[in-house]
Amino acid sequence: MENKTGGKLISLENQSRRDFLKCSAWAGAGVVWMLSGGIPKAFALDAAGNLPEGISLADNFHFVQISDSHIGFNKEANPEPIKTLQEAIGRINALPSKPSLILHTGDITHLSKAEQFDTAAEIFKSLPAQVHYVPGEHDTLDEGGGKLFLERYGKGTKGIGWYSFDDHGVHFIALINVLNFQQGQMTSLGEEQLKWLADDLRAVKTSTPIVVFAHIPLWTVYEPWGWGTQDGAQAIALLRNYGSVTILNGHIHQVIQKVEGNITFHTARGTAYPQPAPGAAAAPGPMTVPAEQLRSYLGITDVKTVQGDHPLALVDSTLV
């Protein structure tokens, strides 16, 4: 398993399925990523999922990323996605300090049905903080191409649902890159959204920490499967002058990280089912693993800022 910084992927590429399972088992309860000067330092969590000594969420602003709930999915890879989503929410509620906010990076539902959105909304009521959403491609399968999602979560957004907000000195940017989705092809943001992003950033000081969240990775994880955004590089170029930028995504249902100077890219586990590592199968899609291992592939991400500095720490927690 490659484990390098300096712009290299931390990934599971070119592993056999058996090796992939071993690597994922090693991830166990998760990893804490402390970022300083754009360089990540990793700290393994203990078997109980506890933070390393000296790292306290209570001392810092922190928020949680949750992704790929896929309410309505009912195949072998996980016949109970509602149950695993509820377990993820239980993990969030059990954090030693309440998060200030929660980001959901898409695929709330599996088939964009009204009843699936309703079920998810009822479950999300138990979350301890406000949730900010972006859609996944599975949330835009209705005849209106995302109408049901926007009716619920699009109030106050721009264009096809993008928006930004500030919290505790951090500037958050929600981008939409799923409405032209086609299986196996790279998606895009579009000129209108890129223009809005450039305008939005003009009012943000370069010293302000920025968190961007979207469903599909902005960077190219694996082009043959469409795991990337065609014009993502244009968005990334607009962010290079800022001192601390973290880009959070879902879609691929696994943790892969990359660091390029001041920008850290992070993809999250889903709460519904795992997907194969890039190129480790004939195609992406739900991956069936032994039932006793499933929860080691599912989880949440907790992110905190460091007071007096701009680095962010990423804490990935599995549902084991």
Side-chain angles (χ1 to χ4, degrees):
M1 176 168 53
E2 188 178 46
N3 188 7
K4 298 178 181 179
T5 58
K8 297 293 185 68
L9 295 182
I10 298 173
S11 70
L12 299 173
E13 293 184 286
N14 301 319
Q15 296 286 331
S16 69
R17 185 172 185 277
R18 179 174 298 178
D19 289 339
F20 173 54
L21 291 174
K22 289 180 180 178
C23 288
S24 295
W26 175 83
V31 175
V32 179
W33 289 87
M34 298 293 295
L35 308 184
S36 179
I39 304 299
K41 297 180 180 180
F43 302 88
L45 301 183
D46 64 22
N50 295 318
L51 295 168
E53 184 177 353
I55 298 178
S56 172
L57 295 179
D59 295 336
N60 300 282
F61 161 63
H62 71 104
F63 61 92
V64 169
Q65 178 190 10
I66 189 170
S67 196
D68 295 275
S69 307
H70 286 274
I71 297 302
F73 181 81
N74 61 355
K75 299 185 185 302
E76 182 182 3
N78 182 4
E80 298 182 304
I82 289 177
K83 182 176 181 180
T84 50
L85 173 59
Q86 290 170 331
E87 290 183 23
I89 291 174
R91 180 65 61 89
I92 295 169
N93 288 326
L95 286 170
S97 178
K98 175 183 173 181
S100 294
L101 59 95
I102 296 165
L103 306 179
H104 194 298
T105 48
D107 282 352
I108 301 166
T109 69
H110 195 62
L111 296 173
S112 306
K113 295 184 180 297
E115 59 268 26
Q116 294 173 1
F117 280 112
D118 291 343
T119 297
E122 191 63 29
I123 295 170
F124 292 148
K125 285 181 180 178
S126 61
L127 284 165
Q130 181 180 359
V131 186
H132 300 269
Y133 298 91
V134 291
E137 77 279 8
H138 284 267
D139 298 319
T140 61
L141 298 175
D142 56 289
E143 291 184 359
K147 179 181 178 182
L148 293 178
F149 174 90
L150 289 174
E151 286 176 351
R152 288 163 171 78
Y153 307 116
K155 184 177 180 181
T157 63
K158 308 293 185 181
I160 54 174
W162 54 79
Y163 61 98
S164 66
F165 64 94
D166 297 284
D167 198 309
H168 285 76
V170 178
H171 188 64
F172 291 84
I173 302 172
L175 298 179
I176 311 300
N177 58 357
V178 297
L179 293 188
N180 59 350
F181 178 86
Q182 295 186 40
Q183 188 66 47
Q185 297 184 21
M186 299 271 278
T187 185
S188 64
L189 296 164
E191 291 184 8
E192 183 183 359
Q193 187 170 194
L194 286 168
K195 182 181 183 301
W196 170 85
L197 176 62
D199 291 341
D200 180 77
L201 288 171
R202 287 191 184 98
V204 181
K205 294 180 180 179
T206 56
S207 60
T208 300
I210 294 176
V211 173
V212 178
F213 60 109
H215 181 62
I216 296 174
L218 295 185
W219 52 290
T220 302
V221 175
Y222 192 61
E223 186 172 356
W225 287 357
W227 282 5
T229 303
Q230 280 185 336
D231 51 4
Q234 295 179 52
I236 292 166
L238 294 171
L239 296 162
R240 292 201 184 279
N241 291 331
Y242 294 83
S244 173
V245 179
T246 302
I247 300 178
L248 304 177
N249 305 102
H251 187 58
I252 70 172
H253 297 220
Q254 59 200 273
V255 174
I256 296 180
Q257 294 183 333
K258 182 175 75 163
V259 177
E260 290 185 358
N262 61 318
I263 303 177
T264 299
F265 303 83
H266 180 90
T267 67
R269 296 180 179 94
T271 67
Y273 55 81
Q275 290 207 72
M287 183 176 72
T288 300
V289 299
E292 67 274 12
Q293 294 182 11
L294 175 60
R295 282 161 178 75
S296 69
Y297 290 88
L298 311 178
I300 61 173
T301 302
D302 192 81
V303 186
K304 75 183 184 70
T305 61
V306 179
Q307 294 297 326
D309 202 350
H310 299 313
L312 298 178
L314 304 176
V315 183
D316 284 298
S317 177
T318 64
L319 300 187
V320 174

